[in-house]
Amino acid sequence: MTRRPKYIFVMGGVMSGIGKGITTASIGKLLQARGFKVNLVKIDPYLNVDAGTMNPTEHGEAFVLKSGLECDQDMGNYERFLGRDLLSDDYMTSGMVYREVIEKERQLAYRGNCVEAIPHIVDEILHRIQRSTKLHQSDVSVLEVGGTIGDYQNIMFIEAARILKLRHPEDVLFVFVSYLPIPPKIGEMKTKPTQNAIRLLNSYGIQPDIVLGRSEQPMDEKRRDKIAEFCNIRKDSVLSAPDVESIYDIPINFNRMKLDRLICRRLGLPDRRSNFNQWEKWVDLTHQAKEPLKIALVGKYFNSGDFVLSDVYISVIEAIKFSAYHLKRRPIIDWLSSQDFENKKQSLKKLNEYDAVIIPGGFGSRGVEGKIRAIKYVRQQGIPFLGICYGMQLAVVEFARNVLKLSAADSTEITPKSPDPVIDIILEQKEKLRQGRYGGTMRLGAYPAQIGRGTIEHQAYGADLIEERHRHRFEVNPDYIERLEAGGLVFSGQSPDGRLMEICELPRSVHPFFVGVQFHPEFQARPLEPHPLFTALLRAAIKKRH
Ligand code: GLN
């Protein structure tokens, strides 16, 4: 770090879900392309200490860092855009911050002072922000403040941002991402909600430096003028960010709009040339891929009121895309509800329409029997299959039931008193649950696995030792391993001590590609480095198609 670090806060107005996370990741990418050291921080205002205890209906499946921290899906986007692992220190929730302050108070760390939201909570937030900057030795930290301006929950973080600006006026920049609705009945883009949101932000003592207007269509001059004038912002800093086909286009669009130059100018950073070639080439590839590849994701649907949440498995979806583009194929990913296979709303024959089937991770009993039926079908029909975590465990259950003829075989997650518990709780996990310790206590984060030579997996990875991220409480019951192997299932990857089964597969002589993994390969798939396992699955899928 050669100069004082700079801080960019990304905040959002009008409503959530308008792409603050992608904006943050894209700004990071732009500055990275200019050769600056960048770190990205996600601030989640909820009181959960991490995202691990939250139902996926809230924010999608948790993303798991290498360290094991369970966090928001945005962190996955950050890693994918930067092409780098993030640290636990790059994530904070109100729960984490308050817990730390309360614990310090219990230890008399405040020496008898009255402990208050201001300054103590705000100080703790600033301490965390600066710790992350220091750990990465960043030139620039880009921080996304979750929620929307006007929420009660994120006020402390906004206050921390204000204080940081007060202390370092030259080094802090505020980017405001706002929504400009085009009500169909009116047919005109409206700026008033954004004006009001900025006024509210002003009332907290913050004046945005740059406004990004998100909308279905580009913002015209007239509306840029309006926002500039009414909100006291230079017109060159009111930018239009209309919807695009792919999130990976966004850094390129921002670069064309010269957002990076604007940021550098406003922060007094040197105006370096940016090297974007690799990313641009890759994005071109995504647009060129024409020949389709059809992948089914068999999982449970999550409803939110009258709507179905479709990006719950976002990391899996992105991992499929990266490998597909790498193989010059256009991925068509369909969600199939496993429950529909149970109640016969959907015939298993539907699966023949796909070149590969994936069963992602999951918890609990809803839709499980449908997943097991789907696994039996793809195993017997020779459809390329990848089971991830729960998907692997259920593949083992299916194999035990239908090949070993242990008809009541199950995971103890579903049938605690199963006569054939082929999947059982990991011993240490049992104790944690008995004590009611649910948060952050699964087997989490990166662990190594040894891969057997001559297996599908060994060919895919081209390595003897791999490291992948985990998030589970259950495992293949060691008492059944011999029987499963005798029946023809190969445990091709194991923990180095040989205790935990990490990968299972059927030999190629029996099935073109049938693989289950106890870990989550999707967390380590990156645009420029597609994951070898997904690539191997899709290679098999291409073969099937022809
Ligand atoms: N429910 C299973 C377990 O806890 C699988 C978890 C997962 O798929 N992430 O082991």
Side-chain angles (χ1 to χ4, degrees), residues 361-363 388-390 393 413 442 471-474 520:
F363 296 83
I388 298 172
C389 204
Y390 213 17
Q393 296 173 358
E413 179 168 356
M442 279 187 255
R471 183 173 189 244
H472 63 123
R473 267 189 228 285
F474 293 79
H520 291 267

Side-chain angles (χ1 to χ4, degrees), residues 489-500:
L489 195 64
V490 179
F491 287 102
S492 50
Q494 306 175 358
S495 57
D497 62 8
R499 225 190 58 85
L500 253 141

Side-chain angles (χ1 to χ4, degrees), residues 389 392-393 396-397 410-413 421-429 443 472-481 491 495 497-502 518:
C389 204
M392 174 220 191
Q393 296 173 358
V396 172
V397 171
D410 215 338
S411 163
T412 52
E413 179 168 356
V422 287
I423 302 295
D424 200 6
I425 191 155
I426 305 173
L427 207 62
E428 307 89 79
Q429 292 293 328
R443 181 169 178 257
H472 63 123
R473 267 189 228 285
F474 293 79
E475 62 169 341
V476 179
N477 186 340
D479 296 343
Y480 285 86
I481 291 170
F491 287 102
S495 57
D497 62 8
R499 225 190 58 85
L500 253 141
M501 297 304 109
E502 294 278 20
Q518 184 56 80

